[in-house]
């Protein structure tokens, strides 16, 4: 028998990888945690309400599983009745697949959805869509759980009391006649962004019939700034479409295009395409990131500039000045000179970045994030135009102005008493409207709210209508490239919910009020084309045609001058900068009651079930709030108050390596006052200090210590490798020199980590070792992950949980190391936390790879993990 060598047979060399500051400091608490697979008390349940809490939080998972059985459980005896007429093509027990799409802010994700016996059970991307490889994102994967959410709106109400569906329809019909007589005076609509051609058509009908009705658009996280800037820069209504895969050099100015911007599934695919290498002779794209908080984009960057978010305009100005000067494109007016000079000691970094872009004219791309002001987006348009990127790495699409007011405009109308009837289509303004508006929708005489939950915006002076899930709805939308896609239901509305198309059609007095008829009429009369449209999940050749436009330097110069940007004063510990960001799990709050998303570890912090006040390690120490202890397996941190412009919010502190100094980041979407059983009491409400004047970031906040502490459930130290060399990475140059660096035992380059691959043996004979069998075999099972392409977005974690209906366990059981994810993404830091500019991030997916030497087969006492005839490691759930 061979002796298996120890995990680390040679001294460690190369960079040191660490998951947390506790691990780096080798604190006694961390060492105790790492040495025991299960922390103290994890083997027993001491909470008397644990069982009740467990059933409560995972009720949605039970409801989803109840439709098609719980794996490993004995089914109850139920009487079933045969079809009187078998549906065409139906075979009992055989899944069917339907093409549809999930609508998002101003776009959509093309999907193919699996249905088991009439119930949607899993969503996947539509691989045949011209702008998709079948990819999705974590929000899309988690969306199916919302369909089975027992806390969703299930009734029609009038003034808070139960009403019937018919009574609601009668009221909408009467409202249509009443507003028609007044030409819509006193009628206002508040809706989110949409790419639906059918909604656009109904809006035009309403505008014609009810010319005095007002339309307002509001998204708490709004990406429309890209369209606004491009329209000014090119003198016509256009929006940019980014071809990231065609760029050799990418510069992200506070743009988290991998984790927090729109069209994540497209952006990630296109970025990863530029990272994949077929051989050591290939090349990769380069990513420069300029940001204040550590994001997924910054974690994947080759070069990262850590500065306050308020200092990004100065970097953009200096970059624009440098590129315009060297490309002979002139200047954007005198207003940028003083701003460009305020970049501090970052001139060299910017000059190198500009030189790289100039070397790759037509093959570079500069992006600005939605948090940055209009002037920064105008500078970015100028840079891309000067480099010849427009029409290559960024194309322009026609995008008419929606001609709608803002939520601030609506608030003024409500305060003035000019709104008789307010129709809210899907939003939750009572929760997420800017704090300075003092939102009071009750000032309208009648409120009609179409909502998915009876949440904070549930009206007591009007009608509440349950909103149908997109998997219960007929609709249409356009994807990011402009391709028309259908929204096709896989199930009848579980609670007689309505779509916004049906509500608008009834108010517009249309004869056809079903969403199917509305979409069918929008599409046209060609029956065969309609059938193919539904079958394929998209309309062939319907993508937006690129718009040719000339960059208008004069208009851009004027708009930048009007913005009157001035050098920002650097934040200090007594004058902090606050950044409001889209949460990686709750989004803007719409996934707050989704258990899968709540328990998903944040890709950067690995935090579950709440949000925190993020700040750098140095800032936490300077403010005297760097104090992390372990109590009952939870990490305990100080509870503080943040004061900004006369408003305040309280929450727990988390020291985040890589964060800019004196910058605190607050995730939106938590602290709900009225939500479901999963999201209630989860985190703090950052909307309380977010105003119309500072919707994205602001300098001038103060931190006040309260003396209280708070326990967090964070998974970053779970599954510690205890020194095993799990991470093996090299630079592009090192890989080109030694392609087999990951398997090397002794390397000349000390910067490349060394490792050992154990000599594992299977208990089962491998049929492919027989040469005669090998000659006949067509394949051999195996699984690999291209770590150069993995960005750590965690979409695969949610997809795995959805595919296998993995239960959630709740915040306190996560703290006890009892989370049940079958797949996880380990996040490691490298660098010196005392020199936070050196901090880098590496992601390592950890999952069962179905290897032929699977250790689970050797130890399973009930033989649940076995080999099949092809050598694949499979699982018999009923034995587990």
């Amino acid at each position: 028998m061979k002796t298996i060598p120890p995990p680390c047979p040679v001294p460690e060399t190369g960079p040191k990888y660490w998951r947390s500051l506790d691990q780096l400091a080798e604190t006694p608490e961390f060492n105790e945690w790492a040495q025991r697979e299960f922390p103290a008390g994890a083997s027993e349940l001491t909470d008397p309400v644990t069982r009740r809490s467990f059933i409560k939080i995972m009720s949605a998972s039970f409801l989803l599983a109840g439709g098609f059985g719980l794996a490993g459980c004995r089914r109850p005896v139920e009487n079933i009745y045969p079809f009187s007429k078998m549906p065409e093509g139906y075979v009992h027990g055989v899944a069917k697949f339907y093409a549809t799409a999930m609508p998002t802010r101003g776009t959509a994700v093309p999907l193919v959805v699996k249905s088991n016996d009439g119930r949607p059970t899993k969503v996947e991307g539509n691989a045949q869509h011209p702008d998709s490889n079948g990819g999705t994102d974590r929000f899309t994967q988690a969306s199916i759980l919302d369909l089975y959410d027992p806390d969703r709106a299930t009734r029609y109400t009038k003034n808070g009391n139960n009403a019937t569906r018919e009574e609601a329809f009668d009221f909408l019909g009467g409202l249509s006649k009443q507003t028609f007589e007044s030409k819509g005076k006193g009628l206002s609509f508040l809706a989110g962004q949409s790419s639906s051609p059918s909604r656009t058509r109904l809006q035009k009908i309403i505008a014609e019939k009810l010319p005095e009705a007002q339309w307002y658009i509001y998204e708490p996280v709004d990406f429309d700034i890209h369209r606004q800037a491009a329209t000014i820069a090119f003198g016509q209504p256009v929006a940019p479409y980014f071809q990231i895969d065609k760029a050799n050099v990418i510069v992200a100015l506070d743009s988290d295009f991998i984790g927090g911007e729109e069209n994540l599934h497209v952006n990630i695919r296109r970025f990863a395409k530029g990272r994949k290498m077929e051989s050591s002779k290939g090349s990769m794209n380069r990513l420069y990131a300029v940001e204040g908080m550590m994001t997924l984009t910054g974690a994947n960057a080759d070069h990262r500039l850590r500065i306050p978010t308020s200092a990004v305009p100065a970097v953009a100005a200096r970059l624009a000045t440098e590129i315009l000067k060297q490309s002979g494109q002139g200047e954007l007016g005198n207003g940028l000179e003083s701003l460009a000079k305020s970049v501090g000691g970052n001139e060299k970094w910017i000059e190198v970045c500009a030189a790289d872009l100039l070397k790759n004219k037509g093959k570079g791309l500069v992006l600005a994030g939605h948090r940055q002001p209009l002037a920064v987006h105008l500078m970015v348009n100028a840079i891309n135009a000067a480099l010849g990127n427009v029409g290559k790495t960024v194309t322009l699409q026609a995008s008419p102005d929606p001609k709608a007011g803002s939520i601030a405009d609506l608030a003024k109308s409500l305060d003035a008493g000019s709104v008789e009837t307010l129709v809210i289509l899907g939003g939750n303004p009572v929760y997420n409207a800017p704090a300075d508006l003092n939102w009071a929708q009750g000032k309208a005489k009648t409120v009609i709210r179409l909502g998915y939950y009876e949440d904070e915006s549930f009206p007591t002076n009007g009608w509440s209508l349950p909103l149908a899930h997109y998997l219960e709805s007929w609709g249409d939308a356009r994807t990011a490239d402009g391709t028309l896609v259908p929204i096709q239901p896989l199930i009848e509305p579980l609670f007689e919910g309505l779509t916004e198309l049906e509500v608008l059609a009834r108010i517009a007095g249309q004869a056809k009020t079903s969403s199917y008829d509305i979409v069918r009429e929008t599409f046209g009369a060609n029956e065969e084309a309609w059938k193919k449209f539904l079958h394929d999940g998209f309309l062939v050749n319907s993508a937006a045609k690129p718009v040719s436009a000339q960059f208008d330097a004069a208009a851009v110069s004027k708009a930048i001058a009007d913005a009157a940007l001035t050098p920002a004063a650097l934040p200090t510990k007594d004058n902090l900068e606050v950044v409001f960001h889209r949460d990686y799990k709750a989004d803007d709050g719409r996934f707050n009651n989704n258990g899968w998303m709540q328990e998903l570890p944040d890709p950067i912090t690995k935090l579950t079930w709440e949000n925190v006040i993020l700040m750098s390690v140095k800032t936490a120490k300077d403010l005297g709030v760097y104090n992390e202890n372990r109590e009952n397996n939870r990490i305990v941190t100080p509870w503080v108050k943040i004061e900004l412009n006369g408003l305040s919010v309280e929450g727990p502190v988390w020291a985040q390596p890589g964060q800019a100094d004196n910058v605190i980041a607050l995730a939106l979407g938590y602290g709900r006052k009225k939500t479901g059983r999963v999201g209630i009491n989860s985190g703090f409400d950052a909307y309380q200090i977010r105003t119309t004047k500072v919707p994205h970031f602001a300098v001038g906040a103060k931190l006040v210590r309260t003396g209280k502490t708070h326990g967090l459930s964070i998974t970053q130290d779970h599954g510690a490798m205890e020194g095993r060399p799990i991470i093996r990475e090299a630079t592009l140059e090192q890989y080109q020199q030694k392609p087999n660096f990951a398997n090397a035992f002794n390397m000349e380059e000390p910067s490349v980590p060394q490792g050992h691959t154990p000599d594992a043996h299977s208990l089962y004979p491998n049929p492919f070792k027989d040469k005669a069998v090998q000659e006949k075999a067509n394949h051999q099972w195996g699984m690999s992950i291209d770590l150069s392409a993995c960005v750590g977005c965690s979409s695969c974690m949610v997809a795995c949980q959805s595919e296998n209906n993995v239960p959630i366990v709740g915040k306190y059981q996560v703290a006890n190391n009892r989370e049940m994810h079958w797949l996880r993404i380990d996040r490691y830091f490298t660098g010196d936390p005392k020199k936070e500019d050196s901090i880098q991030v590496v992601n390592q997916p950890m999952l069962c790879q179905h290897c032929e030497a699977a250790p689970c087969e050797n130890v399973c006492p009930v033989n649940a993990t076995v080999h099949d005839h092809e050598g694949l490691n499979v699982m018999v759930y009923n034995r587990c």
Side-chain angles (χ1 to χ4, degrees):
M1 180 181 295
K2 294 182 178 180
T3 301
I4 300 176
C8 296
V10 294
E12 290 186 21
T13 61
K16 182 177 180 63
Y17 296 94
W18 42 280
R19 295 189 181 199
S20 67
L21 296 167
D22 275 354
Q23 180 186 4
L24 188 66
E26 296 185 345
T27 61
E29 293 84 0
F30 174 82
N31 290 333
E32 181 182 1
W33 175 280
Q35 290 169 8
R36 292 187 299 182
E37 181 178 2
F38 299 102
S43 60
E44 60 185 26
L45 295 177
T46 57
D47 181 0
V49 296
T50 293
R51 180 180 178 87
R52 180 180 180 185
S53 300
F54 174 76
I55 298 297
K56 180 177 70 173
I57 63 172
M58 67 173 298
S59 55
S61 294
F62 275 136
L63 206 157
L64 173 57
F68 48 94
L70 284 167
C73 297
R74 190 178 299 277
R75 288 178 178 269
V77 176
E78 295 179 350
N79 296 319
I80 60 174
Y81 299 92
F83 291 113
S84 58
K85 182 179 180 181
M86 179 70 73
E88 184 179 356
Y90 176 80
V91 179
H92 181 71
V94 177
K96 304 191 75 171
F97 298 84
Y98 299 89
T100 185
M102 174 182 168
T104 59
R105 301 172 181 85
T107 181
V109 182
L111 301 175
V112 172
V113 182
K114 180 180 180 181
S115 175
N116 291 82
D117 297 332
R119 297 175 180 86
T121 56
K122 184 65 173 69
V123 301
E124 297 292 355
N126 188 342
Q128 295 183 4
H129 186 277
D131 193 44
S132 172
N133 70 333
T136 58
D137 57 30
R138 55 191 175 277
F139 299 114
T140 308
Q141 289 292 335
S143 66
I144 195 168
L145 187 63
D146 289 339
L147 173 66
Y148 300 99
D149 190 342
D151 295 322
R152 58 181 289 193
T154 61
R155 59 176 183 155
Y156 291 78
T157 69
K158 178 183 179 182
N159 298 328
N161 301 313
N162 289 349
T164 65
R165 194 171 193 246
E166 290 70 25
E167 289 173 337
F169 287 170
D170 289 342
F171 171 78
L172 291 176
L175 176 65
S176 175
K177 295 177 181 178
Q178 175 185 339
T179 53
F180 182 78
E181 295 174 356
S182 64
K183 296 184 178 181
K185 185 176 182 180
L187 175 64
S188 294
F189 296 89
L190 177 62
Q193 295 170 347
S194 172
S195 63
S196 169
S198 291
R199 195 181 96 168
T200 300
R201 182 171 66 85
L202 289 175
Q203 284 182 241
K204 290 181 179 179
I205 294 173
I206 291 175
E208 293 171 358
K209 289 187 174 182
L210 311 172
E212 295 194 32
Q214 302 297 313
W215 194 274
Y216 303 91
I217 298 291
Y218 175 62
E219 290 286 358
V221 178
D222 193 350
F223 304 117
D224 192 55
I225 189 72
H226 297 285
R227 180 196 62 81
Q228 297 174 28
T231 297
I232 294 173
F234 295 96
Q236 53 182 301
V238 293
Y241 179 61
F242 305 114
Q243 309 269 7
I244 298 174
D245 55 323
K246 297 181 180 179
N248 293 340
V249 178
I250 306 164
V251 179
L253 301 175
D254 192 31
S255 173
D256 187 15
F257 66 89
I258 291 176
E261 298 290 331
E262 62 180 340
N263 301 322
L264 296 178
H265 67 294
V266 176
N267 292 343
I268 292 173
R269 173 178 64 87
R270 290 184 179 276
F271 173 74
K273 185 178 179 180
R275 304 297 266 192
K276 293 184 177 182
M277 297 176 62
E278 299 297 333
S279 70
S280 60
K281 297 181 180 180
S283 63
M284 301 171 64
N285 61 27
R286 277 185 304 284
L287 173 59
Y288 297 81
V290 182
E291 59 185 19
M293 57 180 289
M294 176 64 81
T295 68
L296 272 173
T297 301
N300 285 275
D302 302 291
H303 307 281
R304 179 174 181 264
L305 182 59
R306 183 181 69 102
I307 62 173
T309 305
S310 57
V312 173
V315 174
R318 180 59 183 269
L319 189 63
T321 302
E322 192 77 19
I323 288 177
L324 292 175
K325 178 181 178 181
Q326 295 193 36
S327 60
Q329 300 294 321
E331 299 179 354
L332 292 176
N334 299 325
L336 291 185
E337 290 185 1
S338 59
L339 186 62
K341 293 178 181 179
S342 64
V343 294
N346 300 311
E347 293 90 347
K348 185 63 177 178
W349 195 97
I350 299 170
E351 290 173 2
V352 172
C353 179
D356 205 357
L357 286 169
L358 288 165
K359 289 178 183 178
N360 290 271
K361 285 188 175 182
K363 295 182 179 179
L365 179 62
V366 182
L367 302 167
H370 70 277
R371 281 191 295 266
Q372 288 300 309
L374 178 64
V376 173
H377 286 263
L378 293 171
M379 296 178 213
V380 166
N381 277 276
I383 294 172
N384 284 324
L387 293 172
N389 297 335
V390 178
K392 297 176 182 177
T393 59
V394 53
T395 57
L396 302 176
Q397 301 175 356
S399 182
D401 188 335
K403 296 181 180 179
S406 67
I407 192 170
D409 298 329
L410 175 57
K412 292 179 181 178
S413 297
L414 286 169
D415 291 339
S418 59
V419 179
E420 287 284 325
T421 303
L422 175 61
V423 181
I424 303 175
L425 300 174
N428 187 7
V430 172
Y431 166 65
N432 55 37
D436 57 323
L437 296 183
N438 296 315
W439 181 261
Q441 64 190 37
K443 293 181 180 179
K445 183 178 180 180
T446 303
V447 177
I448 304 170
R449 194 321 181 71
L450 177 68
Y452 201 72
Y453 295 97
E454 293 186 7
D455 50 25
E456 294 89 342
S457 296
F458 177 76
T460 57
N461 62 323
W463 290 81
S464 174
L465 315 176
L467 175 64
H469 192 273
Y470 76 91
L471 292 174
E472 303 170 327
S473 307
W474 281 103
D476 52 15
R478 291 192 180 276
T479 54
D481 69 335
T483 299
L484 183 66
V485 292
I487 299 172
Q488 182 178 189
L490 276 82
I491 192 172
E492 285 284 335
L494 297 177
F495 304 106
E496 296 186 324
L498 300 175
T499 67
E500 65 175 15
L501 297 182
E502 292 173 304
V503 174
L504 290 174
R506 291 181 179 275
I507 294 176
Q510 294 293 286
K512 296 180 178 179
T513 57
S514 76
S515 54
Y516 172 83
D517 291 336
I518 295 168
V519 176
R520 186 70 181 82
E521 186 174 335
T522 304
F523 183 82
N526 190 320
E527 183 67 24
E528 292 304 316
W530 170 254
K531 290 180 180 179
K532 180 174 174 55
F533 177 53
L534 297 182
H535 174 271
D536 296 346
F538 62 93
L539 182 62
V540 178
N541 298 325
S542 61
K545 300 295 187 284
V547 174
S548 178
Q550 288 294 117
F551 178 72
D552 191 342
V556 169
S557 297
K558 182 179 183 304
I560 292 176
D562 292 343
L565 292 179
T566 57
L570 290 177
T572 65
K573 68 175 184 178
D574 299 318
N575 201 40
L576 298 167
E577 175 181 289
V578 176
V579 179
F580 302 99
H581 64 97
R582 179 189 185 189
D583 188 64
Y584 285 139
K585 305 185 301 171
D587 198 335
D588 59 4
R590 63 189 67 190
F591 286 94
N592 175 271
N593 203 54
N594 189 299
W596 291 348
M597 298 302 275
Q598 284 279 9
E599 196 150 297
L600 176 72
D602 182 280
I604 298 297
T605 64
K606 296 303 172 182
L607 176 74
T608 65
W609 286 97
E610 59 191 310
N611 57 343
V612 289
I613 298 173
L614 293 173
M615 63 182 66
S616 72
V617 177
K618 181 180 183 302
T619 302
K621 291 180 177 179
D622 290 345
L623 293 170
V625 293
Y626 181 74
N627 181 23
E628 297 173 7
N629 298 311
R630 292 182 184 268
E631 295 179 8
N632 297 323
N633 300 324
R634 289 187 295 162
I635 296 178
V636 178
T637 64
W639 183 271
V640 302
K641 178 190 290 187
I642 302 298
E643 298 176 346
L644 177 66
N645 297 330
L647 302 171
S648 66
V649 68
E650 295 186 11
V653 167
W654 182 250
Q656 175 58 53
Q659 182 110 340
D661 294 334
N662 302 316
V663 173
I664 60 175
L666 309 180
L668 303 172
Y670 292 89
R672 299 285 300 277
K673 301 296 189 298
K674 188 177 181 183
T675 182
R677 68 199 76 182
V678 170
I680 198 71
N681 298 323
S682 172
F684 62 89
D685 181 10
Y687 286 110
Q688 293 182 63
I689 62 173
R690 191 189 194 214
T691 64
T692 53
K693 293 182 180 179
V694 286
H696 304 303
F697 61 88
V699 177
K702 182 181 179 181
L703 183 145
V704 179
R705 295 190 293 270
T706 65
K708 297 183 291 184
T709 59
H710 182 76
L712 303 173
S713 291
I714 296 179
T715 67
Q716 63 180 5
D717 290 330
H718 294 187
M721 301 308 296
E722 299 187 67
R724 296 177 179 87
I726 192 64
I727 293 291
R728 305 177 189 182
E729 65 171 343
T731 65
L732 176 60
E733 182 180 359
Q734 290 170 335
Y735 170 62
Q736 291 172 338
Q737 293 175 358
K738 282 200 172 184
N740 64 338
F741 75 91
N743 295 323
F745 187 77
N746 288 308
M747 298 281 292
E748 295 178 0
E749 298 87 345
S751 60
V752 177
Q754 317 217 352
H756 168 71
T757 302
D759 186 11
H761 297 279
S762 173
L763 293 178
Y764 301 90
N766 186 343
F768 296 102
K769 289 183 178 179
D770 188 332
K771 291 185 179 180
V773 176
Q774 286 181 357
E775 292 176 357
K776 296 179 181 179
N778 295 322
H779 62 272
Q780 182 174 359
W781 284 103
M783 181 179 180
S784 61
I785 298 174
D786 188 343
L787 295 182
S788 296
C790 176
V791 298
C793 68
S794 299
S795 299
C796 55
M797 286 189 66
V798 187
C800 176
Q801 189 155 20
S802 173
E803 175 74 29
N804 300 286
N805 201 30
V806 179
I808 58 174
V809 298
K811 174 181 176 179
Y812 296 100
Q813 296 307 323
V814 170
N816 289 330
N817 209 349
R818 285 183 163 177
E819 68 272 17
M820 298 181 70
H821 294 120
W822 290 11
L823 186 162
R824 73 176 193 264
I825 306 292
D826 287 343
R827 182 268 297 120
Y828 293 86
F829 295 111
T830 181
D832 186 353
K834 296 180 181 178
K835 301 177 182 178
E836 294 199 55
D837 289 335
S838 69
I839 298 295
Q840 293 184 344
V841 177
V842 183
N843 292 299
Q844 174 70 58
M846 297 294 291
L847 68 160
C848 177
Q849 294 176 280
H850 300 283
C851 56
E852 294 193 20
C856 54
E857 294 181 355
N858 301 357
V859 300
C860 183
V862 293
N863 202 31
T865 52
V866 298
H867 258 48
D868 69 1
H869 65 284
E870 293 181 334
L872 177 66
N873 175 244
V874 294
M875 180 78 172
V876 183
Y877 294 106
N878 287 340
R879 296 179 189 166
C880 181

